[in-house]
Amino acid sequence: MLAKLNSMVLSGIEAIPVKVEIDVQGGLPAVEIVGLASTSVKEARERVRSAIKNSGYEFPNRRIVVNLSPADMKKEGTHFDLPIALGILLASGQIETSLTDSCYMAGELSLYGDLQKIAGVLPMALELARYKGPIDLLVPAENVGEAALVEEVRTFTVHNLKQAIDFVSSTGELPEVKAGAPEMMENKVQYYDFADVRGQDTAKRALQVATAGHHNVLLIGPPGSGKTMLARRIPSILPEMKRSEILETTRIYSVANLLHSEQPLVNNRPFRAPHKNASSVSIIGGGRDPRPGEISLAHNGVLFMDEFPEFNRDVLESLRQPLEDKLVTIARAQATYTYPCNFSLVAAMNPCPCGYYGSDNECLCTPTQINRYLNRISGPLLDRMDMHIEIGRVKFEQLQNKAPGENSSLMRERVNRAREIQALRFKDLDISFNAQMGPSQIRLFCGLNRKAQEVFKKAFDALNMSARTYDRILKVARSIADLEGSDKISLNHLAEALRYRSLDRKYWNV
């Protein structure tokens, strides 16, 4: 007999429907899974065999062929266990069903027949929401929270194979999960507050500018000056995520299998801080079974890379294309995967191996050691950092001052107003922030008066700037003007933006 059931396969953060066809025929006992199945899919044979037996049914002692269609698309994951098990029982005549093509299912089986948590349920539900008519989706209990976010799909909780069998054969019912979860959209995280930072008013101002325009930032300063402390407080001044951003970010975490059943929603802007020994695959994404990397997990948030020059050179150079395109594409022989990575990069570093070059403390490094250390960051990568901020040593009087600094709520209000200006400016364009402007938008929105042009020309020639640096200075100047609610970029705005691009000349002499 032949049985057909519906499931889905992940391709990047997208889900694609898959027909699971099972044929039980005469011949030597065997289970063949065809349709470009990966190792994780082929291992379903033994899980399904034990789950069927431990659920009180017989595993057919015959030749079983499982086809995953379309056969030219690579299939990965353990979520085909459930449809394969049900298909074998249907094809062997042990159960009957009246299911229609509007029912989809996914779940990994334990040897006892319990359903385990799987990756990528939210992308599956979002894809099914595009279809006409009522759609049913059967998922493990630990995944129902993310599936229930999509109101257009009826989600059913399945705890074990026996429950699924009863539902398929119409001898039992499954609990339907209530769609929608507005309370999950609320931001309940307590962030670190900028009020805790003593001194560093210039750095706080620069980070406010960077946050307003979604700019990349490089922090340079001696050990203990507060680079990490400042970076970890950036999420406290970021605007709250919109629903579309929440679903897009949650989709990435769902594919990476990083969602918790108690909170199946990423409603706070991500702040990712990978270790300096992280591999290229963990940062960019990929692997044998491709998964999103840190740059994608930081989508709509911040990627903080402390000890920036200590990262592997391959890792640093691989950041260049994602920083420009806001997408990362991972090519494999049988498939190509694309993950979004629209993040703000905040990098922190010491000016030399000992950390005290250019500060009040005595530097113990030789010029050769300093040059070798700084040259770990290439010119093209340095050019992609919109702002370079020098963090100085905090003075004793500043540490003793008990008066709190400017708090994050006030800074966030200014950032919100600046972003509202940008949203209005770019409402008819496919961009949202000043940092995303292309050459045509820069010419349109970043005009300078004659005096500002003259100053910019002198700075451009004196500092031997590149065309990319020219564009990025104008973008930062536009963000500074937005923070002040100004329609025009004044000389003061341009002068401040130029100050944020002078450290590469001080340290790198470029």
Side-chain angles (χ1 to χ4, degrees):
M1 292 179 62
L2 181 67
K4 294 182 181 180
L5 293 169
N6 295 319
S7 189
M8 308 198 83
V9 65
L10 296 174
S11 178
I13 63 169
E14 302 295 331
I16 300 172
V18 170
K19 281 283 186 183
V20 182
E21 302 172 333
I22 298 94
D23 188 17
V24 177
Q25 19 179 278
L28 293 175
V31 179
E32 295 290 339
I33 301 179
V34 298
L36 216 56
S38 67
T39 302
S40 60
V41 177
K42 292 182 177 180
E43 288 176 348
R45 289 176 292 198
E46 301 308 318
R47 292 193 297 269
V48 167
R49 187 192 305 272
S50 296
I52 288 178
K53 290 181 177 180
N54 289 321
S55 297
Y57 292 84
E58 294 292 329
F59 190 84
N61 194 27
R62 303 168 69 184
R63 179 176 175 78
I64 302 172
V65 179
V66 178
N67 180 44
L68 305 176
S69 177
D72 62 345
M73 178 180 297
K74 188 174 182 181
K75 316 300 187 307
E76 296 173 344
T78 58
H79 59 279
F80 292 109
D81 291 7
L82 180 59
I84 289 175
L86 292 175
I88 290 174
L89 294 175
L90 288 168
S92 61
Q94 297 185 61
I95 62 174
E96 295 181 355
T97 184
S98 58
L99 285 181
T100 65
D101 279 344
S102 64
C103 183
Y104 290 76
M105 58 190 67
E108 176 188 335
L109 289 171
S110 71
L111 299 185
Y112 286 101
D114 297 329
L115 258 70
Q116 310 292 327
K117 181 183 178 183
I118 61 174
V121 168
L122 180 57
M124 295 178 188
L126 290 172
E127 173 63 25
L128 294 176
R130 303 177 185 178
Y131 301 169
K132 295 181 180 180
I135 300 291
D136 296 340
L137 178 61
L138 278 59
V139 295
E142 290 187 75
N143 292 110
V144 294
E146 52 185 298
L149 297 172
V150 184
E151 300 180 357
E152 295 82 357
V153 177
R154 294 192 303 179
T155 304
F156 293 91
T157 306
V158 185
H159 290 90
N160 51 59
L161 179 58
K162 188 65 174 65
Q163 278 189 337
I165 292 171
D166 292 341
F167 178 79
V168 167
S169 57
S170 300
T171 59
E173 295 184 354
L174 291 174
E176 181 178 351
V177 181
K178 184 179 179 182
E183 68 281 356
M184 293 184 184
M185 297 290 180
E186 298 177 4
N187 191 325
K188 301 177 182 178
V189 172
Q190 294 294 323
Y191 295 112
Y192 296 113
D193 200 299
F194 271 105
D196 301 329
V197 180
R198 294 290 182 265
Q200 306 296 9
D201 292 337
T202 301
K204 290 168 66 173
R205 162 68 178 179
L207 290 178
Q208 187 175 229
V209 172
T211 304
H214 198 61
H215 299 290
N216 301 319
V217 180
L218 178 63
L219 307 175
I220 306 177
S225 56
K227 300 185 295 295
T228 302
M229 185 178 188
L230 286 163
R232 291 195 176 278
R233 281 154 177 76
I234 292 177
S236 67
I237 62 175
L238 287 169
E240 292 189 5
M241 298 177 74
K242 302 174 184 176
R243 179 180 174 83
S244 59
E245 293 176 320
I246 290 174
L247 290 178
E248 190 174 28
T249 306
T250 303
R251 181 189 294 194
I252 298 172
Y253 278 71
S254 176
V255 170
N257 204 14
L258 294 177
L259 294 178
H260 299 287
S261 56
E262 296 81 8
Q263 178 58 36
L265 197 65
V266 181
N267 57 356
N268 305 297
R269 294 195 180 274
F271 182 88
R272 305 293 299 185
H275 191 266
K276 63 183 180 181
N277 292 331
S279 66
S280 178
V281 170
S282 67
I283 298 293
I284 304 302
R288 187 180 63 180
D289 295 332
R291 289 290 182 268
E294 290 291 337
I295 62 174
S296 296
L297 296 175
H299 183 64
N300 289 322
V302 175
L303 177 67
F304 176 53
M305 300 180 73
D306 202 3
E307 304 294 344
F308 199 43
E310 301 292 342
F311 281 83
N312 186 283
R313 182 65 179 258
D314 292 340
V315 172
L316 295 180
E317 293 305 307
S318 61
L319 291 172
R320 288 159 56 178
Q321 179 262 334
L323 284 173
E324 292 289 333
D325 299 341
K326 306 303 181 183
L327 290 171
V328 58
T329 300
I330 300 167
R332 294 290 182 266
Q334 297 171 331
T336 299
Y337 307 88
T338 300
Y339 301 107
C341 55
N342 185 12
F343 61 94
S344 291
L345 174 61
V346 178
M349 61 177 288
N350 298 328
C352 67
C354 78
Y356 295 108
Y357 174 63
S359 68
D360 297 336
N361 295 62
E362 182 182 0
C363 177
L364 304 177
C365 304
T366 65
T368 301
Q369 290 175 322
I370 296 173
N371 289 334
R372 186 184 300 119
Y373 180 79
L374 294 175
N375 287 335
R376 292 178 183 175
I377 303 175
S378 66
L381 178 59
L382 188 64
D383 223 17
R384 285 168 169 80
M385 306 301 292
D386 299 347
M387 302 172 63
H388 306 155
I389 306 169
E390 189 167 27
I391 311 296
R393 185 175 66 89
V394 182
K395 296 180 179 179
F396 179 81
E397 293 77 9
Q398 293 173 322
L399 293 174
Q400 286 291 102
N401 186 4
K402 296 183 179 180
E406 187 176 40
N407 60 47
S408 293
S409 60
L410 293 175
M411 296 172 67
R412 175 184 266 190
E413 288 179 9
R414 288 194 289 270
V415 170
N416 280 332
R417 287 196 296 268
R419 290 207 172 184
E420 288 172 2
I421 293 172
Q422 294 170 62
L424 184 62
R425 177 186 300 133
F426 303 130
K427 63 179 180 180
D428 297 325
L429 301 173
D430 192 27
I431 58 175
S432 303
F433 310 107
N434 290 331
Q436 298 172 332
M437 286 191 291
S440 59
Q441 288 89 32
I442 291 174
R443 288 193 297 269
L444 183 61
F445 300 118
C446 300
L448 300 176
N449 58 37
R450 183 182 299 275
K451 189 173 182 179
Q453 287 180 10
E454 292 174 355
V455 172
F456 199 6
K457 183 182 184 305
K458 291 179 181 178
F460 185 87
D461 294 335
L463 299 177
N464 194 26
M465 295 180 183
S466 67
R468 182 184 286 117
T469 302
Y470 171 88
D471 287 346
R472 292 183 183 274
I473 289 175
L474 287 177
K475 293 176 186 179
V476 173
R478 180 67 269 174
S479 297
I480 296 170
D482 289 343
L483 277 173
E484 296 187 2
S486 174
D487 294 334
K488 302 291 184 180
I489 297 177
S490 70
L491 180 58
N492 291 336
H493 303 148
L494 178 64
E496 183 177 353
L498 286 169
R499 289 201 301 271
Y500 298 140
R501 283 305 298 244
S502 61
L503 293 185
D504 50 352
R505 273 70 192 172
K506 175 179 177 179
Y507 290 107
W508 282 269
N509 296 318
V510 294

